[in-house]
Amino acid sequence: MSQSKDNQTFDPFDPTGMLKQMRDSNMESWSKIMTDFVNTEAYAESTGAMLDAWLTTSGPFRKAMESALAQAMAQLNMPTRDDITRLAERLTNIEMRLDDLDARLSEPSKSDNTQPTN
């Protein structure tokens, strides 16, 4: 026998029902409060200021980490990101030259149309 239960009615055979209702209303209240809070101009300004401060302070740390990583990669004889990028650029350049050469070789030239006579 199934009955449709309304969330607002009290069921004495469901001991956690009241706790579920309290949780749901609490979550709904917090959701509305936080939505209103993050949509304010003050929140946007403070978040922007914190991000700016974080990016400013993390810059030197990031550079130090990149330098230490580059030194470690050099000691392990492994390529760095810059090495891989330079290699990719060179390979792309070689590929473009090969394509140009292939295009020139596949063009019928004017001298091919004339047969030498003996």
Side-chain angles (χ1 to χ4, degrees):
M1 165 164 100
S2 69
Q3 293 180 355
S4 110
K5 293 183 180 180
D6 187 31
N7 285 339
Q8 303 302 324
T9 60
F10 177 70
D11 184 7
F13 299 111
D14 186 11
T16 60
M18 189 169 73
L19 293 174
K20 289 179 185 177
Q21 288 177 358
M22 287 173 40
R23 182 204 60 196
D24 291 344
S25 65
N26 189 17
M27 292 293 285
E28 188 176 317
S29 297
W30 273 105
S31 175
K32 183 179 179 336
I33 290 168
M34 292 307 294
T35 301
D36 291 343
F37 175 67
V38 298
N39 287 328
T40 62
E41 186 66 29
Y43 178 79
E45 289 175 5
S46 64
T47 303
M50 285 190 301
L51 281 173
D52 188 40
W54 181 77
L55 289 172
T56 301
T57 57
S58 68
F61 177 72
R62 185 178 57 83
K63 287 180 183 176
M65 286 297 294
E66 286 177 359
S67 174
L69 187 60
Q71 288 176 356
M73 296 295 257
Q75 289 176 353
L76 295 171
N77 289 328
M78 293 184 71
T80 63
R81 179 178 292 188
D82 291 336
D83 294 337
I84 301 287
T85 302
R86 281 194 301 271
L87 182 62
E89 289 171 353
R90 290 177 70 185
L91 288 174
T92 301
N93 189 13
I94 290 170
E95 184 180 6
M96 289 172 49
R97 287 184 181 195
L98 285 173
D99 286 343
D100 291 345
L101 186 60
D102 185 40
R104 277 193 232 154
L105 290 175
S106 64
E107 284 180 353
S109 65
K110 292 180 183 177
S111 62
D112 289 343
N113 291 339
T114 58
Q115 297 284 333
T117 58
N118 289 348

